[in-house]
Amino acid sequence: MLETLKVYKIQIVMAVTLLGFYAAFAYDLERYDFIRLISLYAGAFFLSYKLIQSFKFNVKILLILGIAARLVFLIALPNLSQDYFRFLWDGRLLAEGLNPYLNTPDQWVALGEIPIAQAQDLLNGMGAISRQHYSNYPPVNQFFFWLSGILSGNAILGGVILLRICCIAADLGIFWIGRKLLKKLKLPEHQIFWYFLNPFIIIELTGNLHFEGVMLFFLLASLYLLFRGNWFWSAFLMGLSIAVKLLPLLMLPLFFQYLITAHSKTEENSKPFTILAEQPLQSLWKLFRYYVVVIGVFILSFTPFFTEELIAHFSQTIGLWFQKFEFNASVYYIIRWIGYQIKGYNIIATAGKLLPIVVFAGLMLLALFRKSDRKQHLMSTLLLGTSLYFLCATTVHPWYITTPLLLSIFTRFRFAIVWSLVVFLSYSAYKIDRVEENFWLVAVEYLVVLGFFIWEFYRNNLLEKTR
C-alpha cells in the first residue's frame, strides 16, 4: 500500500512538473534561447514518455493530462513562430469581404489604405518575407482564419485564442478517431498518446498554432471511413484535408492498390494487378470515382475566391517553397554542397525543380511495387511516402513532421517519434538578430532518424520472415 502511494506521488509530481515545463515554454521563453528551449523540450519529452508508460491502460488520466497541457497555452501568444500574424491578417481581410489571395500585405500598404484593424502590428509581426508574398493557405484553412476575423474583433490575443481552440478541437478529434482506427487495425489503443501527449504536438500545434492537426483530422477520418467501405465520404474528407494543407495530394497515388482491392468480390488473397487484369473496368471505376470526388472537393473549395489572378498567385507562392526557401533540409543540403563544389554557387533553382521529380518517381514506385492492398500495408506506405517527401524537401520546419508522426502510430515504425524529438535541434538556427543554421546539428538530426529507420526496417523484415 505504501509502495503504491509512493508511486502515485511520483507520477503526480511528474505530471505537475510537465505542466510547469509547458508553462515555461508558453510564457517565459524566447526562441533564440536555444539551450533553455532544448532543455525544457527534452525534459517534457522524457516526462511524457514515462507518463505514457505508467498510465497506458488508463485512458482518462492521459486524456485529461493532454487537455490540461493544451489549456496551459490557451492565453499565450506563440513564441516560436510568427505565422499567426499572417493567419490573423488573412482572417481580417476575409471578415471585411476581401479576397486574401489577390494582394500581398506590401501591396496593400502601397495602395495606401488597409481596411483592417491593427494592420501595422500585424505587418510588423509577420516579418518581411510574409509581407512580400501572396497567401499560400488553402480555402478550408482560410475558413478558420475567417472565424478568428469575425469573432475576435480588434484583439490579436482574442484571434489567437479562437485559432487555438480550433487546433485543440482537431486534436481531440484525432484522439477519438485514432483510437477507433487503432482498434480496427488491431493495434494497442494507447499508441494514440504518442500523438496526443507528445510535447512536439502540444508545442507546435496548440502552442504555435500550426494547422497540420486540422488537416490530419480530416485525413484520419477519411482513412477510417475508407476502411469501413464508405468511399464517397472518405473521398470528400480527403478533399477537405487537401484544402487545409496541400500535403495529402502527394498521398493520392499511394491509394492505388488499396482502392482496387478494397471490398473486392474476388478471393481475399487476390493481388491488385490480378484484380485489375480480371476486372479492368470495375477497378478503373473505383479509382476514377474516388479521385474525381477528392479533386472535385478541393477545386470547389476555391470557388468563393476564384479570379483570373488566383491560380497564378497561389502557384507562384507554392513554388517558392521548392526554388527559393531552404531550412533544415537533408538530401537537398548534400546536393547544394556538391553544387557549390562544381558550380560555385547555390543551385536551389535547379535542385528545386529536380527534387520534386525524384519524389514523384519514388511515390510511383511505392504505389506500384510496395504491397499496400491491406489496411496495415497502406498506412506503412503512406508513412514511407511522406517521409520520402520531407527527406527531399528544401524546407522542413519542425511542425512538418506532424504527418509522419501521426501515420507512424498506425504502423510498426517508430522513427517518426524519434524525429519528433530531434527535429527541435533545428531551433538552434534562430539567433536574436538573424537565422543561421548549425549544420552539425542538422546532420545529427538526420543521422539519428536515418539510423533508427534502417534499424527498424531490417528488424521488421526479420519479424515478417520469422512469422
Side-chain angles (χ1 to χ4, degrees), residues 24 103 135 147 168 179 200 209 225 268 294 308 360 417 424:
N103 297 302
S135 181
L147 279 181
I168 293 173
R179 287 186 67 205
F200 169 78
L209 293 184
L225 290 174
E268 189 174 334
V294 171
E308 292 182 3
F360 179 75
I417 296 176
F424 258 58

Side-chain angles (χ1 to χ4, degrees), residues 159-208:
V160 165
I161 292 172
L162 285 165
L163 292 175
R164 188 162 281 138
I165 289 171
C166 294
C167 291
I168 293 173
D171 276 354
L172 288 170
I174 288 173
F175 171 79
W176 176 60
I177 296 174
R179 287 186 67 205
K180 289 177 175 290
L181 190 52
L182 285 167
K183 187 175 181 180
K184 198 167 189 65
L185 295 173
K186 299 178 181 179
L187 293 170
E189 291 182 42
H190 72 265
Q191 288 183 188
I192 192 60
F193 287 107
W194 274 115
Y195 175 91
F196 193 74
L197 207 59
N198 193 320
F200 169 78
I201 296 298
I202 293 169
I203 293 167
E204 289 293 3
L205 304 194
T206 299
N208 295 326

Side-chain angles (χ1 to χ4, degrees), residues 238-255:
M238 181 66 73
L240 292 182
S241 181
I242 297 169
V244 177
K245 298 277 184 177
L246 298 180
L247 180 63
L249 269 175
L250 295 172
M251 302 181 190
L252 293 183
L254 304 178
F255 286 84

Side-chain angles (χ1 to χ4, degrees), residues 243 247 315 458:
L247 180 63
S315 58
Y458 281 105

Side-chain angles (χ1 to χ4, degrees), residues 74-88:
L74 186 61
I75 59 172
L77 292 174
N79 56 1
L80 301 184
S81 171
Q82 59 199 56
D83 289 353
Y84 71 98
F85 287 105
R86 185 58 184 264
F87 302 165
L88 297 177

Side-chain angles (χ1 to χ4, degrees), residues 93 150 260 323 344 363 412 438:
L93 287 177
I150 289 290
I260 289 176
Q323 298 181 37
L363 291 175
R412 288 179 300 171
N438 184 325

Side-chain angles (χ1 to χ4, degrees), residues 136-150:
N136 67 328
Y137 303 105
V140 172
N141 208 348
Q142 295 283 358
F143 168 77
F144 295 101
F145 303 163
W146 171 78
L147 279 181
S148 73
I150 289 290

